[in-house]
Amino acid sequence: MTHYSGKERSEMLAVLESFFVTSIIEADEASEYAFSVSDLLHEEKRDLILSEQARQQGLELGGAGSIAVGTLFAKRYSVWVMAVISACSLYDTLLNTGEDVIRFELNGTGGMRYETCVERRLHLGLELKSGGDMGPSGHFLVQRSTEIRWIRDRLQQHLIRIFQSAAAATGANIRVMNALVAHNVQQLILRMIGDQAIWKTDERLALIHHDAGVWLAPTKENSFAARLQCFEHPEWQGPTFLIRPYCCLAYQVGKGDTAAHGYCSSCPKLDTAERLRMLLK
């Protein structure tokens, strides 16, 4: 196992906070966040949390827009999933995914901020080659594959429990919830691979590619590997852009008026011209 440099740890904390609203605290440090994820598995506490989240979005749990409460919960919870994946593939770090350890709070508009601690480091998957260069090592990559696969499966079991509970309260379809997460996970991995400012070194890019093969392994049990459509248009020369297979129902936020939020640029309800117009803004 490897240890952090001060700079590496500081960068990881800043990235997780800035892009995935996820804070890292020490294991023995008290949290100031109101809820633990385990509260979502307790019917009374879950309903209180989801009712407040619905209220913050102008929706009603068990009433108008209840399904949207569930689909939007899944879409927002995917931010936490992306934090776990980013910590692994960019910083060789396993975040603690225990339901009693992860804590969160609502941000006033229906979104969530997350908090956890580091569980341990991963095998780096690199070794010193002749000539002094670092390169992928077959031995360490086998170990890393095993670790990533274990994390992936554990994370998906975690999502099954959380989404089953949220679906029971909201009426949302679990298949839709999983698809919303898969979209964000795949879009994240494409971005990590496609942006040199993220991977910085060829060695890190090789690890991201390696990990992506595990995160998105096309097996029946791997919900992250759902097949998604890419947006294609001769006027779109930007990075690969994936279309969600289902609408997240965000347009219902507010008073159910599409003008209150509108469709997301990745929404399947958009036609090609509307999507292109949004992407080119």
Side-chain angles (χ1 to χ4, degrees):
M1 298 295 176
T2 56
H3 298 283
Y4 295 107
S5 68
K7 181 179 178 181
E8 182 185 16
R9 180 176 173 83
S10 295
E11 179 184 301
M12 180 182 74
L13 297 182
V15 166
L16 294 178
E17 177 69 37
S18 298
F19 294 100
F20 308 108
V21 289
T22 297
S23 300
I24 305 300
I25 62 174
E26 298 300 324
D28 58 354
E29 186 178 347
S31 173
E32 297 181 358
Y33 282 15
F35 311 111
S36 71
V37 166
S38 61
D39 292 337
L40 294 167
L41 302 175
H42 183 283
E43 184 175 345
E44 184 177 352
K45 294 177 181 178
R46 173 203 69 197
D47 289 353
L48 286 173
I49 293 167
L50 293 176
S51 292
E52 174 58 21
Q53 191 170 37
R55 186 197 66 77
Q56 292 182 6
Q57 300 170 97
L59 301 170
E60 181 183 354
L61 185 66
S66 185
I67 292 176
V69 176
T71 54
L72 289 172
F73 170 83
K75 187 177 179 182
R76 286 166 173 147
Y77 204 73
S78 72
V79 175
W80 156 250
V81 176
M82 290 189 287
V84 174
I85 292 172
S86 296
C88 284
S89 291
L90 297 180
Y91 301 102
D92 313 306
T93 297
L94 171 58
L95 301 182
N96 194 311
T97 60
E99 283 131 17
D100 289 326
V101 176
I102 311 164
R103 299 196 65 86
F104 67 98
E105 65 177 4
L106 303 177
N107 68 2
T109 59
M112 296 181 283
R113 291 185 283 260
Y114 307 93
E115 182 183 82
T116 189
C117 58
V118 170
E119 184 164 320
R120 60 182 171 83
R121 298 301 303 273
L122 303 179
H123 283 87
L124 184 57
L126 301 176
E127 68 176 6
L128 192 64
K129 303 290 188 179
S130 60
D133 294 328
M134 296 294 288
S137 157
H139 170 67
F140 283 112
L141 288 180
V142 169
Q143 291 179 294
R144 187 180 177 96
S145 293
T146 300
E147 289 181 310
I148 295 289
R149 190 177 302 111
W150 177 80
I151 296 162
R152 182 199 69 198
D153 293 347
R154 175 174 155 182
L155 186 56
Q156 292 194 341
Q157 288 300 312
H158 168 89
L159 290 177
I160 287 171
R161 292 189 291 274
I162 300 303
F163 285 179
Q164 284 177 339
S165 182
T170 64
N173 185 303
I174 293 177
R175 176 178 293 182
V176 173
M177 298 169 82
N178 283 329
L180 295 172
V181 176
H183 174 271
N184 278 351
V185 166
Q186 292 186 35
Q187 197 69 69
L188 168 70
I189 290 173
L190 285 172
R191 184 183 176 192
M192 287 197 295
I193 290 171
D195 189 344
Q196 186 174 5
I198 293 176
W199 48 262
K200 298 177 183 175
T201 68
D202 291 340
E203 294 76 26
R204 179 55 59 184
L205 179 60
L207 285 178
I208 294 170
H209 273 292
H210 167 269
D211 293 354
V214 182
W215 292 120
L216 303 181
T219 64
K220 182 179 178 181
E221 298 77 19
N222 186 8
S223 62
F224 296 156
R227 295 188 66 177
L228 302 176
Q229 179 184 354
C230 290
F231 177 64
E232 296 181 352
H233 192 282
E235 293 183 39
W236 175 245
Q237 300 301 315
T240 302
F241 188 82
L242 301 175
I243 301 173
R244 301 178 193 274
Y246 304 102
C247 177
C248 69
L249 305 180
Y251 69 87
Q252 294 185 15
V253 167
K255 298 181 179 179
D257 181 355
T258 56
H261 180 281
Y263 297 128
C264 307
S265 59
S266 57
C267 183
K269 292 180 180 288
L270 292 175
D271 63 29
T272 298
E274 290 173 320
R275 195 182 318 280
L276 179 65
R277 203 159 39 240
M278 293 181 72
L279 292 173
L280 293 178
K281 280 185 179 178

